[in-house]
Amino acid sequence: MDYREFKFTCSEDFREILIAELSEIGFDAFLETEEGFDCYSPLEGFDEATFGEIIDRYQEPAQIQVKESITQKVNWNEEWEKNYDPIAVDNLVYVRASFHPPKEGFRYEIVINPKMSFGTGHHATTFQMLQLQGQIDHQGKRVLDVGSGTGILAIMAHLLGAESVEAFDIDDWCVDNGNENFQLNQVPAQMGLGTIRDVNPKGPYDIILANINKNVLLDELEIYAQLMKPDAFLLLSGFYSEDIPDLVNHCKALDLELIKQSTRDNWAALVFTKQ
Protein backbone atom coordinates (compact mmCIF):
# COMPACT_ATOMS: atom_id res chain seq x y z
CA MET A 1 0.00 0.00 0.00
CA ASP A 2 1.22 3.51 -0.84
CA TYR A 3 0.99 6.35 1.68
CA ARG A 4 0.97 10.11 1.64
CA GLU A 5 3.94 11.25 3.73
CA PHE A 6 3.91 14.70 5.30
CA LYS A 7 6.98 16.13 7.01
CA PHE A 8 5.87 18.83 9.45
CA THR A 9 8.03 21.56 10.88
CA CYS A 10 6.17 23.35 13.69
CA SER A 11 6.59 24.99 17.07
CA GLU A 12 7.05 22.57 19.97
CA ASP A 13 3.93 23.86 21.77
CA PHE A 14 1.68 22.72 18.92
CA ARG A 15 3.24 19.37 18.00
CA GLU A 16 0.98 17.21 20.19
CA ILE A 17 -2.12 19.23 19.29
CA LEU A 18 -1.48 18.75 15.57
CA ILE A 19 -0.84 15.02 16.00
CA ALA A 20 -4.12 14.65 17.88
CA GLU A 21 -6.04 16.60 15.24
CA LEU A 22 -4.57 14.58 12.36
CA SER A 23 -5.18 11.27 14.11
CA GLU A 24 -8.89 12.08 13.91
CA ILE A 25 -8.91 12.26 10.09
CA GLY A 26 -7.24 9.01 9.08
CA PHE A 27 -3.54 9.51 9.76
CA ASP A 28 -2.43 6.23 11.32
CA ALA A 29 1.29 6.72 11.96
CA PHE A 30 3.34 9.53 13.47
CA LEU A 31 7.09 9.86 13.99
CA GLU A 32 8.30 12.76 16.12
CA THR A 33 11.41 14.58 14.86
CA GLU A 34 13.60 17.37 16.20
CA GLU A 35 11.80 19.91 14.00
CA GLY A 36 8.25 18.56 14.36
CA PHE A 37 6.94 15.22 13.13
CA ASP A 38 6.35 13.03 10.10
CA CYS A 39 2.92 11.54 9.50
CA TYR A 40 1.40 9.05 7.08
CA SER A 41 -2.04 8.49 5.59
CA PRO A 42 -3.15 5.80 3.13
CA LEU A 43 -3.78 7.25 -0.33
CA GLU A 44 -7.28 5.81 -0.38
CA GLY A 45 -9.78 7.86 1.61
CA PHE A 46 -7.46 10.80 2.32
CA ASP A 47 -9.59 13.73 3.51
CA GLU A 48 -7.88 16.60 1.72
CA ALA A 49 -10.49 19.22 2.60
CA THR A 50 -10.34 18.63 6.37
CA PHE A 51 -6.54 18.35 6.22
CA GLY A 52 -6.45 21.78 4.59
CA GLU A 53 -8.75 23.21 7.26
CA ILE A 54 -6.42 21.97 10.03
CA ILE A 55 -3.39 23.46 8.31
CA ASP A 56 -5.17 26.81 7.82
CA ARG A 57 -6.30 26.89 11.47
CA TYR A 58 -2.82 26.33 12.92
CA GLN A 59 -0.61 27.73 10.12
CA GLU A 60 0.23 31.02 11.82
CA PRO A 61 0.26 30.17 15.56
CA ALA A 62 2.15 26.91 15.04
CA GLN A 63 4.50 28.27 12.35
CA ILE A 64 3.75 25.25 10.18
CA GLN A 65 5.78 24.19 7.17
CA VAL A 66 4.82 20.97 5.38
CA LYS A 67 6.53 18.87 2.71
CA GLU A 68 4.41 16.22 1.00
CA SER A 69 5.49 13.10 -0.88
CA ILE A 70 4.27 9.61 -1.77
CA THR A 71 5.99 6.66 -0.15
CA GLN A 72 5.57 2.90 -0.24
CA LYS A 73 4.60 0.93 2.82
CA VAL A 74 7.00 1.73 5.63
CA ASN A 75 8.68 -0.73 7.98
CA TRP A 76 6.94 0.88 10.96
CA ASN A 77 8.76 -1.15 13.62
CA GLU A 78 12.13 -0.08 12.24
CA GLU A 79 11.05 3.56 12.12
CA TRP A 80 9.68 3.55 15.66
CA GLU A 81 12.84 1.91 16.93
CA LYS A 82 14.80 4.86 15.57
CA ASN A 83 12.44 7.53 16.91
CA TYR A 84 10.63 6.18 19.99
CA ASP A 85 12.16 7.14 23.35
CA PRO A 86 11.14 5.77 26.77
CA ILE A 87 8.85 7.85 28.99
CA ALA A 88 9.04 8.32 32.77
CA VAL A 89 5.79 9.24 34.54
CA ASP A 90 7.12 10.65 37.81
CA ASN A 91 8.54 7.68 39.74
CA LEU A 92 5.35 5.73 39.12
CA VAL A 93 6.01 3.96 35.83
CA TYR A 94 8.69 3.69 33.15
CA VAL A 95 7.20 3.12 29.70
CA ARG A 96 9.58 1.62 27.18
CA ALA A 97 9.63 -0.44 24.01
CA SER A 98 10.92 -4.01 23.97
CA PHE A 99 14.17 -2.85 22.35
CA HIS A 100 14.97 -0.51 25.29
CA PRO A 101 16.71 -1.77 28.44
CA PRO A 102 14.84 -1.67 31.79
CA LYS A 103 15.54 1.19 34.22
CA GLU A 104 15.55 1.13 38.00
CA GLY A 105 13.87 3.67 40.29
CA PHE A 106 10.24 3.19 39.24
CA ARG A 107 7.41 1.34 40.96
CA TYR A 108 6.25 -0.20 37.70
CA GLU A 109 7.38 -0.80 34.14
CA ILE A 110 5.24 -1.05 31.00
CA VAL A 111 6.57 -2.43 27.72
CA ILE A 112 4.73 -0.96 24.73
CA ASN A 113 5.44 -1.66 21.07
CA PRO A 114 3.08 0.96 19.63
CA LYS A 115 3.11 0.18 15.90
CA MET A 116 0.29 2.42 14.61
CA SER A 117 -1.74 2.65 17.83
CA PHE A 118 -2.26 5.77 19.96
CA GLY A 119 -1.04 5.64 23.54
CA THR A 120 2.66 5.46 24.30
CA GLY A 121 2.81 7.84 27.25
CA HIS A 122 4.29 10.58 25.06
CA HIS A 123 0.99 12.37 24.55
CA ALA A 124 -0.11 14.68 27.38
CA THR A 125 -3.47 12.91 27.73
CA THR A 126 -1.97 9.46 28.21
CA PHE A 127 0.68 10.85 30.58
CA GLN A 128 -1.99 12.47 32.78
CA MET A 129 -4.20 9.40 32.78
CA LEU A 130 -1.29 7.28 34.02
CA GLN A 131 -0.54 9.88 36.72
CA LEU A 132 -4.14 9.91 37.90
CA GLN A 133 -4.39 6.13 37.87
CA GLY A 134 -1.45 6.04 40.25
CA GLN A 135 -3.48 8.11 42.73
CA ILE A 136 -6.46 5.71 42.82
CA ASP A 137 -6.70 2.38 44.63
CA HIS A 138 -7.02 -0.36 42.00
CA GLN A 139 -6.57 -3.31 44.36
CA GLY A 140 -9.22 -5.95 43.69
CA LYS A 141 -11.17 -3.56 41.45
CA ARG A 142 -13.04 -4.22 38.21
CA VAL A 143 -11.77 -1.86 35.48
CA LEU A 144 -13.07 -0.95 32.01
CA ASP A 145 -10.78 0.79 29.47
CA VAL A 146 -12.81 2.45 26.69
CA GLY A 147 -10.96 3.10 23.40
CA SER A 148 -7.87 1.35 24.69
CA GLY A 149 -5.43 2.00 21.80
CA THR A 150 -2.14 0.33 22.70
CA GLY A 151 -3.70 -0.98 25.93
CA ILE A 152 -1.37 1.11 28.08
CA LEU A 153 -4.02 2.23 30.60
CA ALA A 154 -5.42 -1.28 30.95
CA ILE A 155 -1.88 -2.54 31.56
CA MET A 156 -1.38 0.14 34.22
CA ALA A 157 -4.64 -0.94 35.90
CA HIS A 158 -3.40 -4.54 35.99
CA LEU A 159 -0.06 -3.50 37.50
CA LEU A 160 -1.89 -1.45 40.14
CA GLY A 161 -3.68 -4.58 41.32
CA ALA A 162 -7.01 -4.62 39.47
CA GLU A 163 -8.80 -7.95 39.83
CA SER A 164 -10.09 -7.81 36.25
CA VAL A 165 -9.48 -5.53 33.28
CA GLU A 166 -11.65 -5.25 30.16
CA ALA A 167 -10.67 -3.19 27.14
CA PHE A 168 -11.79 -2.53 23.59
CA ASP A 169 -11.16 -0.27 20.60
CA ILE A 170 -12.89 0.55 17.31
CA ASP A 171 -9.81 -0.18 15.13
CA ASP A 172 -8.80 -3.75 14.42
CA TRP A 173 -5.10 -2.84 14.22
CA CYS A 174 -5.35 -1.31 17.71
CA VAL A 175 -6.92 -4.54 18.96
CA ASP A 176 -4.12 -6.64 17.48
CA ASN A 177 -1.47 -4.31 18.87
CA GLY A 178 -3.18 -4.08 22.27
CA ASN A 179 -3.34 -7.85 22.60
CA GLU A 180 0.36 -8.10 21.75
CA ASN A 181 1.12 -5.54 24.46
CA PHE A 182 -1.09 -7.42 26.92
CA GLN A 183 1.03 -10.52 26.29
CA LEU A 184 4.26 -8.54 26.70
CA ASN A 185 3.06 -7.32 30.12
CA GLN A 186 1.36 -10.59 31.17
CA VAL A 187 -2.12 -9.08 31.36
CA PRO A 188 -4.75 -11.88 31.41
CA ALA A 189 -7.20 -10.14 29.06
CA GLN A 190 -8.22 -9.96 25.42
CA MET A 191 -9.11 -6.64 23.83
CA GLY A 192 -12.50 -6.44 22.14
CA LEU A 193 -13.39 -4.77 18.83
CA GLY A 194 -16.07 -2.10 18.45
CA THR A 195 -17.69 0.88 20.14
CA ILE A 196 -19.04 0.63 23.67
CA ARG A 197 -22.50 0.00 22.18
CA ASP A 198 -21.11 -2.82 20.00
CA VAL A 199 -19.18 -4.47 22.81
CA ASN A 200 -21.96 -3.90 25.36
CA PRO A 201 -19.85 -4.46 28.50
CA LYS A 202 -21.64 -5.78 31.57
CA GLY A 203 -21.18 -3.61 34.65
CA PRO A 204 -20.95 -2.56 37.28
CA TYR A 205 -17.33 -1.38 37.31
CA ASP A 206 -15.21 0.21 40.03
CA ILE A 207 -13.09 2.26 37.59
CA ILE A 208 -13.76 3.36 34.00
CA LEU A 209 -10.97 4.85 31.87
CA ALA A 210 -11.74 6.81 28.70
CA ASN A 211 -9.05 8.73 26.81
CA ILE A 212 -11.06 9.70 23.71
CA ASN A 213 -12.06 12.92 21.97
CA LYS A 214 -14.65 15.26 23.46
CA ASN A 215 -17.50 14.45 21.07
CA VAL A 216 -17.29 10.72 21.72
CA LEU A 217 -17.12 11.30 25.47
CA LEU A 218 -20.21 13.51 25.46
CA ASP A 219 -22.06 10.90 23.42
CA GLU A 220 -21.11 8.01 25.71
CA LEU A 221 -21.02 9.56 29.21
CA GLU A 222 -24.52 8.35 30.06
CA ILE A 223 -23.45 4.78 29.29
CA TYR A 224 -20.37 5.13 31.51
CA ALA A 225 -22.52 6.40 34.38
CA GLN A 226 -24.88 3.45 34.06
CA LEU A 227 -21.95 1.02 34.22
CA MET A 228 -20.44 2.51 37.40
CA LYS A 229 -20.88 1.22 40.93
CA PRO A 230 -21.74 3.75 43.66
CA ASP A 231 -18.50 5.58 44.58
CA ALA A 232 -16.82 4.28 41.40
CA PHE A 233 -14.24 6.42 39.58
CA LEU A 234 -14.40 7.75 36.02
CA LEU A 235 -11.13 9.05 34.50
CA LEU A 236 -11.48 11.12 31.34
CA SER A 237 -9.01 12.74 28.94
CA GLY A 238 -8.61 13.47 25.25
CA PHE A 239 -9.85 17.09 25.23
CA TYR A 240 -8.52 20.60 25.70
CA SER A 241 -8.60 22.69 28.89
CA GLU A 242 -11.32 24.95 27.46
CA ASP A 243 -13.57 21.89 27.09
CA ILE A 244 -13.60 21.18 30.85
CA PRO A 245 -16.86 23.09 31.59
CA ASP A 246 -18.78 21.14 28.93
CA LEU A 247 -17.63 17.80 30.36
CA VAL A 248 -18.25 18.85 33.97
CA ASN A 249 -21.76 20.14 33.25
CA HIS A 250 -22.68 16.99 31.37
CA CYS A 251 -21.37 14.82 34.20
CA LYS A 252 -23.26 16.82 36.85
CA ALA A 253 -26.52 15.89 35.15
CA LEU A 254 -25.51 12.24 35.53
CA ASP A 255 -24.72 12.57 39.28
CA LEU A 256 -20.99 12.40 38.62
CA GLU A 257 -18.95 14.67 40.89
CA LEU A 258 -15.62 16.15 39.81
CA ILE A 259 -12.97 15.37 42.44
CA LYS A 260 -9.70 16.00 40.60
CA GLN A 261 -8.37 17.60 37.44
CA SER A 262 -5.06 18.26 35.74
CA THR A 263 -3.74 19.99 32.63
CA ARG A 264 -0.61 19.49 30.56
CA ASP A 265 0.23 21.35 27.34
CA ASN A 266 -3.40 22.61 27.21
CA TRP A 267 -4.73 19.03 27.38
CA ALA A 268 -6.98 18.20 30.33
CA ALA A 269 -7.79 15.14 32.43
CA LEU A 270 -10.64 14.80 34.91
CA VAL A 271 -11.59 12.35 37.67
CA PHE A 272 -15.23 11.93 38.66
CA THR A 273 -16.93 9.75 41.25
CA LYS A 274 -20.50 8.46 41.17
CA GLN A 275 -22.67 9.96 43.93
Side-chain angles (χ1 to χ4, degrees):
M1 179 188 295
D2 287 342
Y3 286 79
R4 288 178 184 254
E5 178 186 58
F6 295 90
K7 292 184 176 292
F8 274 75
T9 300
C10 64
S11 65
E12 177 68 25
D13 290 343
F14 282 86
R15 173 160 43 190
E16 291 185 347
I17 294 173
L18 286 166
I19 288 174
E21 293 272 15
L22 294 170
S23 69
E24 294 293 324
I25 64 167
F27 282 82
D28 55 15
F30 299 87
L31 299 171
E32 295 191 20
T33 65
E34 291 184 3
E35 300 80 18
F37 61 92
D38 300 344
C39 57
Y40 301 84
S41 175
L43 286 178
E44 184 177 350
F46 176 69
D47 189 346
E48 190 156 4
T50 306
F51 177 77
E53 290 173 5
I54 293 172
I55 298 301
D56 291 343
R57 191 185 320 146
Y58 292 102
Q59 183 86 59
E60 186 173 342
Q63 301 177 339
I64 293 174
Q65 296 181 25
V66 186
K67 293 181 179 178
E68 179 183 354
S69 61
I70 303 298
T71 184
Q72 293 183 335
K73 185 176 181 179
V74 177
N75 183 336
W76 302 112
N77 289 340
E78 180 181 326
E79 292 299 316
W80 259 294
E81 186 164 342
K82 290 188 295 186
N83 291 277
Y84 174 50
D85 295 323
I87 291 293
V89 180
D90 304 326
N91 67 344
L92 173 68
V93 60
Y94 187 65
V95 183
R96 66 177 180 88
S98 58
F99 47 80
H100 295 132
K103 188 174 182 178
E104 295 182 356
F106 298 87
R107 289 168 56 195
Y108 303 104
E109 176 183 84
I110 294 177
V111 180
I112 292 288
N113 289 334
K115 295 189 177 176
M116 297 185 192
S117 300
F118 179 84
T120 61
H122 289 78
H123 195 272
T125 59
T126 312
F127 188 98
Q128 290 178 94
M129 289 287 279
L130 292 169
Q131 275 187 323
L132 292 170
Q133 281 185 267
Q135 299 168 23
I136 292 174
D137 180 14
H138 284 59
Q139 285 291 329
K141 305 299 185 183
R142 191 171 180 225
V143 179
L144 179 67
D145 183 14
V146 181
S148 192
T150 60
I152 188 170
L153 302 182
I155 294 167
M156 187 76 253
H158 171 71
L159 293 175
L160 288 168
E163 181 178 348
S164 68
V165 178
E166 298 173 43
F168 57 90
D169 200 281
I170 61 172
D171 292 305
D172 52 5
W173 45 266
C174 280
V175 173
D176 291 342
N177 182 214
N179 284 326
E180 290 174 9
N181 291 325
F182 284 172
Q183 290 182 350
L184 282 172
N185 295 273
Q186 300 180 339
V187 178
Q190 283 289 308
M191 192 180 293
L193 175 63
T195 67
I196 195 166
R197 293 179 176 89
D198 298 328
V199 175
N200 193 24
K202 305 302 181 185
Y205 295 93
D206 299 286
I207 300 170
I208 296 181
L209 312 166
N211 183 11
I212 322 176
N213 70 62
K214 173 188 172 182
N215 290 335
V216 174
L217 291 175
L218 290 174
D219 176 59
E220 297 182 349
L221 275 172
E222 186 174 353
I223 301 174
Y224 306 162
Q226 292 170 354
L227 291 171
M228 295 168 67
K229 293 180 180 179
D231 299 322
F233 294 101
L234 173 63
L235 281 66
L236 303 178
S237 195
F239 47 89
Y240 301 125
S241 302
E242 53 265 32
D243 296 323
I244 291 175
D246 288 342
L247 273 299
V248 172
N249 288 335
H250 201 103
C251 286
K252 275 184 180 178
L254 299 169
D255 293 325
L256 299 174
E257 179 186 0
L258 179 67
I259 59 171
K260 193 170 295 186
Q261 68 182 69
S262 66
T263 58
R264 182 181 175 92
D265 301 331
N266 200 38
W267 292 94
L270 306 174
V271 181
F272 295 88
T273 188
K274 188 171 184 177
Q275 297 177 318

